[in-house]
Amino acid sequence: QVQLVESGGGLVQPGGSLRLSCAASGSIFSINFMDWYRQAPGKQRELVAAITSGGSTNYADSVKGRFTISRDSAKNTVYLEMNSLKPEDTAVYYCKAGITYYSGSSYYDYWGQGTQVTVSS
């Protein structure tokens, strides 16, 4: 059993900040990557930020300079620090992880259930 649980979403005013977290638990040997996606109503799900086990990061152009992804490998947790939030950031944010369940096995993708972020006055 592998489970990803997101937390930290909520309602925030434009210009405000939120920090999302995603904790992986279960039969985990290692995590290759942990990503954040988001999906607004009527919109396609998009990659927001990504981080590998080596610490390499990647961001969507729309969030560069405002969002920061980080990872605590010891806790199997990824964070997304969101600053200078805009109404267009409103979406359900999903965590995705590539997980190995034993040494030498392939990586398998797992998704969290999502957490709602609403940016509004």
Side-chain angles (χ1 to χ4, degrees):
Q1 176 181 321
V2 175
Q3 185 176 17
L4 303 181
V5 179
E6 301 101 332
S7 63
L11 175 65
V12 64
Q13 296 182 9
S17 299
L18 285 173
R19 189 175 79 153
L20 306 182
S21 64
C22 173
S25 62
S27 300
I28 299 170
F29 178 78
S30 65
I31 300 177
N32 184 47
F33 64 86
M34 299 187 81
D35 302 342
W36 285 100
Y37 287 74
R38 68 185 181 187
Q39 187 167 24
K43 302 292 185 179
Q44 187 169 292
R45 187 173 298 187
E46 63 173 340
L47 177 66
V48 176
I51 187 167
T52 69
S53 60
S56 179
T57 60
N58 187 47
Y59 298 92
D61 289 342
S62 60
V63 306
K64 285 182 178 178
R66 299 189 298 120
F67 291 10
T68 302
I69 188 170
S70 61
R71 177 179 176 181
D72 186 337
S73 297
K75 297 181 178 180
N76 289 332
T77 300
V78 65
Y79 304 93
L80 186 67
E81 181 71 34
M82 305 185 294
N83 299 311
S84 301
L85 284 162
K86 305 174 181 179
E88 50 263 45
D89 294 318
T90 297
V92 177
Y93 284 71
Y94 297 91
C95 177
K96 179 184 178 182
I99 294 173
T100 300
Y101 58 90
Y102 66 88
S103 181
S105 75
S106 299
Y107 287 95
Y108 295 88
D109 291 347
Y110 292 87
W111 289 88
Q113 294 301 305
T115 184
Q116 177 71 49
V117 172
T118 302
V119 184
S120 176
S121 298

